[in-house]
Amino acid sequence: MNRLRNILFYILLFGGGMVFIWIVVHLGNALEVPNELVRPDSAANQWSAFVENVLENFGSPFAILLVQIIVVLIVARLMGFLFKKIGQPGVIGEILAGIVLGPSLIGAYFPEFFNFLFPPQSLDNLNTISNIGLILFMFVVGMELDMRVLREKISESIAISQAGIIFPFALGMGLAYFLYDRFVPPSVPFLSFALFVGVSMSITAFPVLARIAQERGLNRTKLGTVILTCAAINDIMAWCILAVIIAIVKAGTVVSSLYTVAFAALYVIVMLTVAKPFLKRISELYHSRENMNKSVVAVYFMVLLLSAICTELIGIHALFGAFMAGVIMPDNKQFRDIFVEKVEDLATIIFLPLFFVYTGLRTKIGLLNDIYLWQTAGVITLVAIVGKLVGSAVAAKYVGRHSWRNSLVVGTLMNTRGLMELVAINIGYDLGVISSEIFVMLVLMALITTFMTSPMLSFIEKIFPNKEKNKELVRKQIQGVFKVLVAVGKPQNGKYLLRVVKNVLDGMKNTLEVTALHITAGADTNPLHSEEFMRESFQITEDEANLLKIPLTKEYALSDNVEEEIISQLNNKPFDFMLIGAGMQFAEKPIFTDSSPFGKVKWLNKTFNGLVRQRVRLYPQALIKDKTHYFVEKANCTVGIFINRNFHHITNTLIVLSVKTDGFLLRYARRLLRNTDGEVQITIIDTDKVLEQDETAAAIFKNLMADCPNNIKVARTKNISSISSRFGFMMISYQAWNVLVPNNKRELRNIPSTLIINKKSSRFATHTH
């Protein structure tokens, strides 16, 4: 009755409304004054008018800007993805995306498309929006600097950082002497030109460096802390020097710039003594997501914008004000994480690619049209590398007392320039201090010095092997340490994987060491969040390790390719066994049941659930996720694939011997019995007379029967599906699994939690699994 009443109400509501609107329009038409407006009199004319209107709207400045943003985002993300695939920071691909879309490539080979996408009148809008993005980005960079860590580590890092500024700055000014006559713009004093060339040699890209250090696991080492501290100090010093240089350039002389410098110093004092305590007080009152409302966020953005406009008016550029606003943000880590999360994605995903494109529009590689110009670009790049890499490395060696290996790592990372270099040289180009040719050369230098970082680090690791790591490897081999890598996906699965490790892998003659590895998909994740993600990912696993008394090492990484990162971590360290979880790819029950909204639609129910079941028949090993095949093929050690079927503890266990080489499973059975004090009952199915063909396996089986006669029995059946549902746990070799699964798809729906083992001799281990 209620449903009928509702339907009648809607009919009257909409029907009555439409009738009323029609009456009003009809009466209103009678009031029209006849005019000479020509209306399309045919369908063709109406379509032409519509198309003309669409094209007119498409040519509006706002529509062009939206199209530019869409194209830029697509190309930037694609290039970033491709460069990450080859082990390079995504920012290099995004920078190159700007050059690709600029006059050097698209403009040269597709001029009509280039002129349509970037008409000259649209560049001012693009520049304005990209500058807003830079302000937000510099604000985030300032917030990412942990001032407490800087204060703690400044004594051991200040000399390296200063060497990384002074040495390349001096070389840059010396280089400017030889470049001045040929490349300086008209009416630019030598001092202004030399200062900008010098500071362009001294920049380090702290955000890019931090991500590379994190990807290589350096951020949790003493060396990594020193490098990050040096880079942070370098950033602060470089931007202060750049602010002074901008003041000198705008004022014309050093004496005239003293007014600007004095007001800049006053600005810094006010920010540190007035603004910072004010913001700290606010953060103490509003420090959580729950009470950080829009009014509080507005206050911090107002401080950012006021700081930026102050430095712009003083004459040291708005970006310095944005950077300073980030630096004075409260030290409360939780507060900074929340605020960075609100700002960073917008700045890095939307705005920064626009800045890269704007830089690319200015980068006309065609200007380097003779061998002399390319030689000059090479000299500039060489001076930049020698100044930054050699200067920082020598300081790290003789002041920081680091080894040559670590010193070169410091120098290589400090030589990373990336985005920060582009910001600095764009400022110089806007001020008219550097010419178009020098601008292009400096852009190429920024790309090369950033691109070379990862290959250079790999080269250093190759020619300077980690002696401490090798000593530790030899020690563990001698002592019989059995090292296991547990790849933890979902945090709650870590405890179950550890229970399997403890019961199956903990041997009487070996010391068990477990490394839990968790990888967050996405290399763009902010380093500020990594500690929080790491803590959340390992909390359950760590609690279980303490309960089981297992020595646990935690490894955390960010990667766009989780599988490759797991294999990289596995094969580059001395592991004997890797355990990884896997799900089942067959449908345990229909997706559309009778109780589901579509369950009563019989044809949909039958068709969709049929497709799901058909999926099993399409894959020979459909009971294991496809990604696990990658681990089996690429791993240098034994791999265990654990299928969790409501697993809690190992109970009655089924061991399947089906391939001639399956005798090794009995070694794990022996460990299982010892580690559970004989509380587990083991049933062995020998489907292919393995015990008769393998003398070693037969000997182990004989010993097991002698030691634990009440815990071992042999089932005579060859059909494991007929008895597998009686067990809580099963062990089977990967080869046997591949043989059995295609023949028993339907029957294996009721298999228990299963450990599938692919035995492979570790190239690191000297003991037997």
Side-chain angles (χ1 to χ4, degrees):
M1 184 65 183
N2 289 336
R3 184 177 180 184
L4 182 61
R5 186 167 56 219
N6 290 340
I7 292 174
L8 183 61
F9 172 77
Y10 282 116
I11 290 174
L12 292 175
L13 176 66
F14 287 103
M18 295 301 295
V19 170
F20 178 76
I21 292 171
W22 181 84
I23 293 172
V24 171
V25 172
H26 181 72
L27 294 175
N29 287 337
L31 301 177
E32 287 185 4
V33 177
N35 56 50
E36 298 181 354
L37 179 65
V38 179
R39 292 184 173 88
D41 55 0
S42 67
N45 288 338
Q46 290 173 356
W47 172 252
S48 298
F50 170 74
V51 171
E52 184 179 345
N53 187 49
V54 169
L55 293 176
E56 182 179 349
N57 293 336
F58 201 74
S60 68
F62 184 64
I64 289 175
L65 179 62
L66 292 179
V67 172
Q68 289 173 343
I69 293 174
I70 292 170
V71 173
V72 167
L73 289 183
I74 292 174
V75 177
R77 300 310 294 178
L78 176 61
M79 295 288 288
F81 172 78
L82 293 176
F83 271 79
K84 288 174 186 174
K85 280 293 185 182
I86 61 173
Q88 289 292 333
V91 68
I92 298 180
E94 294 179 3
I95 294 171
L96 280 176
I99 296 176
V100 166
L101 290 173
S104 299
L105 188 62
I106 297 296
Y109 296 99
F110 306 97
E112 292 183 357
F113 175 75
F114 176 78
N115 292 328
F116 164 77
L117 187 60
F118 299 107
Q121 65 272 19
S122 71
L123 300 185
D124 288 339
N125 294 335
L126 199 62
N127 182 33
T128 300
I129 293 179
S130 66
N131 280 329
I132 293 173
L134 282 180
I135 287 175
L136 293 176
F137 176 75
M138 293 304 299
F139 180 55
V140 170
V141 171
M143 281 197 291
E144 286 183 342
L145 297 178
D146 193 332
M147 302 307 293
R148 288 176 296 183
V149 174
L150 292 186
R151 286 191 290 268
E152 293 171 2
K153 302 292 182 179
I154 192 170
S155 59
E156 59 183 291
S157 303
I158 188 69
I160 302 173
S161 181
Q162 287 178 339
I165 286 281
I166 297 172
F167 191 51
F169 190 90
L171 287 181
M173 291 198 70
L175 178 64
Y177 175 80
F178 297 98
L179 300 176
Y180 183 75
D181 286 338
R182 173 67 174 81
F183 296 104
V184 71
S187 305
V188 173
F190 172 77
L191 179 62
S192 299
F193 178 75
L195 289 174
F196 253 102
V197 174
V199 80
S200 67
M201 300 289 118
S202 308
I203 296 290
T204 292
F206 175 76
V208 179
L209 181 150
R211 280 171 170 77
I212 294 175
Q214 187 176 49
E215 289 173 4
R216 290 183 168 265
L218 291 171
N219 57 317
R220 294 188 301 276
T221 65
K222 182 179 178 181
L223 176 65
T225 303
V226 171
I227 293 170
L228 291 173
T229 306
C230 289
I233 297 171
N234 190 294
D235 249 11
I236 295 173
M237 293 175 61
W239 280 99
C240 290
I241 293 171
L242 184 61
V244 173
I245 292 172
I246 293 171
I248 293 173
V249 170
K250 287 188 174 182
T253 63
V254 176
V255 176
S256 301
S257 68
L258 292 179
Y259 293 105
T260 302
V261 174
F263 274 99
L266 178 62
Y267 153 81
V268 172
I269 292 172
V270 171
M271 292 292 282
L272 294 176
T273 59
V274 179
K276 186 173 183 178
F278 170 70
L279 296 177
K280 182 180 179 182
R281 178 58 180 160
I282 293 179
S283 73
E284 291 171 352
L285 297 174
Y286 305 95
H287 62 278
S288 67
R289 296 179 188 273
E290 181 180 0
N291 55 22
M292 185 180 283
N293 54 42
K294 294 180 180 179
S295 299
V296 176
V297 175
V299 170
Y300 286 99
F301 273 114
M302 284 295 294
V303 171
L304 164 62
L305 296 175
L306 288 172
S307 177
I309 190 62
C310 283
T311 53
E312 182 71 17
L313 295 176
I314 291 172
I316 54 175
H317 209 282
L319 294 182
F320 181 80
F323 177 75
M324 193 67 193
V327 170
I328 67 162
M329 285 291 126
D331 290 335
N332 185 309
K333 185 178 185 300
Q334 183 181 8
F335 168 83
R336 288 200 173 203
D337 288 356
I338 294 171
F339 213 81
V340 167
E341 190 175 330
K342 290 179 178 292
V343 177
E344 185 182 38
D345 286 346
L346 181 66
T348 57
I349 295 176
I350 301 293
F351 290 117
L352 277 187
L354 297 180
F355 168 71
F356 295 143
V357 166
Y358 188 73
T359 302
L361 293 174
R362 294 173 155 193
T363 306
K364 302 175 182 178
I365 297 180
L367 293 175
L368 307 184
N369 53 12
D370 61 50
I371 189 65
Y372 171 74
L373 294 175
W374 282 104
Q375 288 173 344
T376 304
V379 171
I380 289 175
T381 303
L382 181 62
V383 170
I385 294 171
V386 170
K388 199 71 173 178
L389 194 156
V390 175
S392 300
V394 170
K397 173 64 179 176
Y398 294 105
V399 179
R401 303 293 182 181
H402 291 283
S403 64
W404 273 118
R405 178 186 184 277
N406 289 348
S407 299
L408 289 173
V409 169
V410 172
T412 300
L413 284 169
M414 291 292 285
N415 189 48
T416 305
R417 287 176 172 82
L419 170 64
M420 308 303 289
E421 176 75 13
L422 296 185
V423 174
I425 61 180
N426 268 280
I427 291 174
Y429 191 67
D430 287 335
L431 293 174
V433 176
I434 56 177
S435 64
S436 299
E437 291 92 344
I438 292 295
F439 179 81
V440 173
M441 294 175 189
L442 292 177
V443 169
L444 293 176
M445 180 270 288
L447 284 171
I448 292 170
T449 53
T450 307
F451 187 88
M452 66 179 284
T453 302
S454 293
M456 187 69 181
L457 289 174
S458 299
F459 179 70
I460 292 170
E461 291 175 359
K462 186 175 181 180
I463 62 173
F464 293 101
N466 193 331
K467 295 181 180 179
E468 293 299 321
K469 178 179 176 181
N470 292 338
K471 289 179 182 178
E472 180 70 6
L473 173 57
V474 172
R475 180 186 68 81
K476 290 183 176 180
Q477 288 179 344
I478 294 173
Q479 294 179 354
V481 176
F482 191 80
K483 290 184 66 65
V484 179
L485 178 69
V486 176
V488 180
K490 295 180 180 178
Q492 62 268 27
N493 290 341
K495 64 179 181 181
Y496 302 125
L497 294 173
L498 283 186
R499 290 172 187 175
V500 173
V501 167
K502 180 66 177 177
N503 289 327
V504 178
L505 302 179
D506 194 7
M508 296 296 289
K509 297 180 181 180
N510 305 119
T511 300
L512 182 66
E513 285 191 6
V514 177
T515 298
L517 172 65
H518 180 78
I519 298 173
T520 296
D524 290 334
T525 303
N526 193 296
L528 281 174
H529 301 157
S530 61
E531 291 298 326
E532 178 185 352
F533 292 160
M534 181 177 176
R535 186 172 57 254
E536 293 175 352
S537 302
F538 291 123
Q539 186 61 59
I540 297 175
T541 305
E542 193 169 16
D543 292 342
E544 187 70 18
N546 293 333
L547 186 65
L548 298 175
K549 298 180 180 180
I550 297 176
L552 184 70
T553 301
K554 296 172 291 184
E555 291 287 345
Y556 177 80
L558 303 173
S559 178
D560 284 313
N561 192 317
V562 175
E563 292 76 31
E564 285 187 4
E565 182 62 29
I566 291 175
I567 289 298
S568 175
Q569 296 269 359
L570 177 70
N571 290 342
N572 290 327
K573 295 178 182 178
F575 289 108
D576 302 300
F577 194 101
M578 179 179 77
L579 182 62
I580 188 165
M584 304 293 281
Q585 276 195 331
F586 59 85
E588 299 179 24
K589 58 184 179 180
I591 303 300
F592 291 151
T593 61
D594 291 339
S595 59
S596 67
F598 300 101
K600 293 181 172 57
V601 185
K602 293 184 179 179
W603 68 269
L604 181 59
N605 189 13
K606 182 178 180 180
T607 302
F608 192 85
N609 291 322
L611 288 174
V612 172
R613 287 191 292 271
Q614 181 66 22
R615 184 184 181 189
V616 176
R617 289 191 284 272
L618 291 175
Y619 291 90
Q621 296 88 21
L623 297 180
I624 309 174
K625 287 187 176 179
D626 295 335
K627 292 179 181 178
T628 57
H629 302 313
Y630 176 80
F631 299 129
V632 168
E633 293 171 2
K634 299 293 184 181
N636 287 332
C637 66
T638 300
V639 175
I641 303 161
F642 178 61
I643 298 176
N644 187 338
R645 305 275 286 172
N646 298 318
F647 176 83
H648 293 287
H649 298 278
I650 293 181
T651 55
N652 292 341
T653 300
L654 176 65
I655 295 180
V656 180
L657 305 180
S658 181
V659 181
K660 185 178 180 180
T661 56
D662 281 355
F664 74 92
L665 290 172
L666 296 179
R667 299 181 184 275
Y668 294 105
R670 181 168 56 191
R671 292 185 180 187
L672 176 59
L673 287 172
R674 288 174 176 173
N675 293 329
T676 57
D677 296 325
E679 294 181 0
V680 171
Q681 297 293 323
I682 293 179
T683 299
I684 298 173
I685 295 181
D686 188 355
T687 64
D688 198 31
K689 299 181 180 181
V690 174
L691 294 177
E692 296 180 11
Q693 302 176 50
D694 187 341
E695 294 181 0
T696 302
I700 296 174
F701 176 73
K702 183 178 180 180
N703 291 334
L704 284 176
M705 292 297 293
D707 295 339
C708 309
N710 298 325
N711 298 92
I712 302 289
K713 65 179 181 179
V714 178
R716 299 302 177 186
T717 180
K718 293 187 177 183
N719 185 1
I720 68 171
S721 61
S722 63
I723 65 169
S724 61
S725 59
R726 306 176 196 171
F727 299 90
F729 187 71
M730 181 170 74
M731 283 196 290
I732 186 172
S733 72
Y734 182 73
Q735 292 75 17
W737 179 270
N738 287 337
V739 171
L740 292 172
V741 169
N743 299 321
N744 297 277
K745 295 189 182 82
R746 292 184 179 180
E747 293 82 356
L748 288 178
R749 291 173 183 270
N750 296 319
I751 67 168
S753 294
T754 302
L755 177 61
I756 306 168
I757 301 176
N758 183 69
K759 185 178 183 298
K760 190 180 293 185
S761 297
S762 171
R763 62 191 174 97
F764 298 107
T766 58
H767 51 273
T768 304
H769 290 181

